[in-house]
Amino acid sequence: MDEEAIPILRVVDAAAAVTWYERLGFAKQWEHRFGPGFPAFVEVARNGMRLFLSEHEGDARPDTLIYLRVRDVEAMAFEFGVPVREAPWAREIELRDPDGNRLRIGTPTE
């Protein structure tokens, strides 16, 4: 098993969040609930990147910022209709998911 860090993002509606993250190329891997009507905890993945989306109130704070390094930031910029910024280290965009979590997404310049 490889060791890794997996960010946990707080979401209000996991199903709606999964739909939004699918626009970024993520796919739902699994969902867990302790019982009917309980909050959902979901994993989404894309090309080796994984995120946990949690409806549990104590798992993460809103307005979290994560950085995703991708091969083609221009495709994501086009999907969301946002401009690409040039930074010294990457071409980047910044998005907010429906729950206010911030995603800075970049393709390295070198």
Side-chain angles (χ1 to χ4, degrees):
M1 178 188 108
D2 292 330
E3 295 182 353
E4 64 183 314
I6 304 172
I8 300 173
L9 300 175
R10 172 76 169 99
V11 299
V12 174
D13 180 341
V18 167
T19 299
W20 191 86
Y21 280 90
E22 286 172 342
R23 292 179 64 196
L24 290 172
F26 284 87
K28 181 177 170 180
Q29 303 300 299
W30 51 262
E31 177 178 325
H32 176 266
R33 293 177 189 266
F34 284 104
F38 280 80
F41 191 90
V42 177
E43 178 185 312
V44 294
R46 170 202 156 107
N47 297 332
M49 289 187 285
R50 298 192 309 164
L51 300 173
F52 290 154
L53 308 176
S54 178
E55 292 179 350
H56 295 267
E57 290 187 20
D59 279 352
R61 296 177 16 196
D63 198 36
T64 295
L65 171 64
I66 61 171
Y67 193 94
L68 304 176
R69 186 172 285 159
V70 299
R71 288 187 183 95
D72 186 8
V73 73
E74 284 80 7
M76 290 183 173
F78 180 78
E79 171 67 25
F80 286 88
V82 296
V84 177
R85 291 180 324 171
E86 294 288 339
W89 51 87
R91 295 177 45 74
E92 296 181 331
I93 62 173
E94 188 160 326
L95 302 173
R96 281 193 182 266
D97 74 9
D99 296 287
N101 296 300
R102 296 177 302 143
L103 291 87
R104 195 165 297 145
I105 305 167
T107 298
T109 52
E110 304 211 10

